[in-house]
């Protein structure tokens, strides 16, 4: 019996408490989920919500998102606790170094993680970034400066880049983008989030 209690105590120590809250942004509702250590995910959740259970980290996240959308903040400092592979985490760390108002290409990020031929793998890790906006995967563009995919919807990506003062080359695709197409949609590739 003692061994079972010990195992149960270890399992409860390893299992982190989960907290959740929401921020209503110009791009739709954002779900902020945290552990006791930091943010686990920040995603555009559309109309899909859970019971609100905030903590100090979700509160800081909401405050910083509000400042970002109001044009008062260009660098986040809320603690992070994303779940992913070591490679994904290395890519997300590189994304966090892209300054506000600037972009990088998938090739740039591949070189930063010492995988100069790994642009596709970087693209996969970028698409699975669980902490939108704060880990700025929206700042990654094609090598030719073109707008590329975004799990939150290409319309949101274009809005975020414009919000940061980044202008992309005009294209037929950019001219037809409409934020109303995605504002109520949950971002893709979120099935892996816990």
């Amino acid at each position: 019996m003692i061994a079972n209690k010990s195992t149960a105590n270890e399992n409860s120590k390893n299992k982190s408490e989960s907290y959740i809250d929401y921020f209503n942004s110009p791009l739709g509702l954002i779900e902020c989920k945290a552990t006791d250590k930091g943010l686990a995910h920040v995603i555009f959740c559309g109309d899909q919500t859970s019971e609100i259970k905030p903590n100090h980290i979700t509160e800081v996240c909401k405050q910083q998102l509000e400042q970002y959308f109001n044009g008062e903040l260009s660098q986040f400092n809320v603690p992070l606790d994303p779940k992913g592979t070591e490679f994904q985490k290395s890519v997300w760390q590189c994304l966090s170094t892209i300054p506000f108002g600037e972009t990088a290409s998938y090739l740039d990020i591949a070189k930063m993680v010492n995988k100069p031929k790994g642009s596709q793998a970087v693209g996969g890790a970028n698409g699975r970034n669980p902490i939108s906006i704060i880990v700025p995967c929206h700042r990654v563009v094609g090598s030719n400066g073109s707008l590329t995919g975004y799990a939150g919807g290409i319309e949101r990506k274009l809005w975020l880049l414009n919000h940061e003062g980044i202008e992309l080359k005009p294209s037929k695709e950019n001219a037809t983008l409409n934020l109303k197409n995605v504002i109520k949609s949950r971002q893709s590739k979120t099935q892996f989030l816990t």
Side-chain angles (χ1 to χ4, degrees), residues 15 23 51-52 68 110 130 139 169 180-181 189:
K15 193 171 188 177
F23 176 77
E51 184 178 339
I52 294 174
Y68 170 83
R139 295 180 189 153
K169 296 175 187 175
K180 291 178 183 175
N181 294 337
K189 298 182 182 177

Side-chain angles (χ1 to χ4, degrees), residues 64-71 73 76 100 160 163-164:
Q64 291 188 9
L65 284 171
E66 182 173 4
Q67 292 170 336
Y68 170 83
F69 282 107
N70 287 339
L73 180 107
F76 295 90
F100 180 94
L160 290 165
H163 175 68
E164 295 185 12

